[in-house]
Amino acid sequence: MQNLSSRKPGTAGVKYPESSKAAWKVETLSSAQQINFREKPGEDQRSIAKVPENTYLEMKEFKNGWGRTEYEGQEGWVKLSYLTPCKKKK
């Protein structure tokens, strides 16, 4: 099994192993305590919700440092540099 803790989420071109789709935990590194949940991958895309810190998300797809997931019944994208891969959803 590959050690994901040494990876830098959010790095363009990184290929995440299939097992990393299981669960990711939101861990903001600022005082914001929440991250943008966007319609499409990209900081210039419209934010459709805010995901609070310590939320666990399941990734469906990865694209250029972004992960596609579902949150509160909506599908959208989060920037992976604000998340950490986890072993299982809590």
Side-chain angles (χ1 to χ4, degrees):
M1 180 167 195
Q2 188 172 0
N3 179 358
L4 296 176
S5 62
S6 63
R7 290 192 168 266
K8 293 182 180 179
T11 306
V14 171
K15 298 284 186 195
Y16 295 95
E18 193 68 26
S19 62
S20 68
K21 291 184 181 181
W24 289 66
K25 181 181 177 184
V26 175
E27 293 191 27
T28 63
L29 300 175
S30 69
S31 60
Q33 297 181 347
Q34 55 189 1
I35 63 170
N36 287 308
F37 185 66
R38 299 186 183 275
E39 275 186 332
K40 297 177 183 177
E43 291 190 28
D44 59 340
Q45 300 300 315
R46 184 170 79 93
S47 178
I48 53 177
K50 299 282 187 183
V51 182
E53 192 169 32
N54 297 317
T55 299
Y56 289 83
L57 301 170
E58 227 174 274
M59 295 302 137
K60 298 178 179 185
E61 177 185 356
F62 299 103
K63 186 175 184 178
N64 298 322
W66 292 80
R68 183 173 60 88
T69 189
E70 189 174 307
Y71 179 68
E72 294 188 340
Q74 297 183 83
E75 196 163 285
W77 294 82
V78 290
K79 191 170 184 177
L80 295 175
S81 61
Y82 295 113
L83 290 92
T84 302
C86 302
K87 288 188 178 186
K88 63 181 177 180
K89 194 174 182 178
K90 292 186 179 182

